[in-house]
Amino acid sequence: MTSRVFAWMLMAALATPAFSGQQLIEQLQSQYRNQGATTFTAERGKQLWEQQITNKQGEQRACTSCHGIDPRQSGQHATTKKPIKPMAMSVNSARFSDEKKINKWFTRNCKWTWGRECSPQEKGDILQYMLTL
């Protein structure tokens, strides 16, 4: 095998996770539209990402509380202090390669942050924001 062929094969293998992650996000967004969501925007996703919510205990929470203001950077869980890998597709495409995990983390994080599940519109907008970074 020539080095050129090997290089192309390596580049294709490395590019695949980002592509499959983008495909999964598009598939999820299609499901969200079937559930009543409309057009998704990165601007609304960013607003949701940064939105401060006061919970029942009077604590301020936002996605940024753990993930940080820049989803391209690592974060830290507000309670356990465990490191959290970046969320942005450009930095961590593996985040978006498993539908079950995406659904699991949306459920947990929306309930922890906002005290409720995210709507299909909110999920789609946040995913759109992650795609743009």
Side-chain angles (χ1 to χ4, degrees):
M1 178 180 324
T2 68
S3 62
R4 181 177 280 162
V5 172
F6 179 75
W8 277 106
M9 289 174 59
L10 181 61
M11 287 188 332
L14 293 174
T16 301
F19 182 70
S20 66
Q22 183 166 347
Q23 280 185 318
L24 180 54
I25 287 174
E26 290 169 2
Q27 177 185 330
L28 288 169
Q29 287 177 324
S30 178
Q31 291 173 20
Y32 301 151
R33 279 190 288 279
N34 289 337
Q35 296 169 8
T38 60
T39 304
F40 302 113
T41 70
E43 182 179 315
R44 273 196 313 261
K46 183 177 191 225
Q47 290 171 350
L48 291 166
W49 185 261
E50 296 174 355
Q51 182 179 354
Q52 292 285 323
I53 303 293
T54 303
N55 68 13
K56 293 176 185 175
Q57 293 78 28
E59 300 169 322
Q60 287 283 313
R61 290 188 177 166
C63 299
T64 59
S65 299
C66 295
H67 295 285
I69 193 76
D70 184 351
R72 294 170 290 196
Q73 303 294 319
S74 295
Q76 183 180 50
H77 192 279
T79 306
T80 66
K81 306 300 181 204
K82 287 183 180 180
I84 299 173
K85 292 181 181 177
M87 291 294 298
M89 174 70 97
S90 63
V91 179
N92 188 3
S93 62
R95 278 270 189 209
F96 306 102
S97 61
D98 184 331
E99 184 175 352
K100 279 184 151 182
K101 285 185 179 181
I102 293 170
N103 290 328
K104 169 187 162 181
W105 288 110
F106 262 133
T107 300
R108 280 189 188 178
N109 290 338
C110 291
K111 286 182 178 180
W112 185 86
T113 305
W114 295 340
R116 62 173 175 79
E117 289 196 31
C118 289
S119 71
Q121 184 69 51
E122 292 165 334
K123 292 176 191 178
D125 287 333
I126 290 170
L127 289 175
Q128 190 66 36
Y129 177 49
M130 293 302 125
L131 278 174
T132 65
L133 300 171

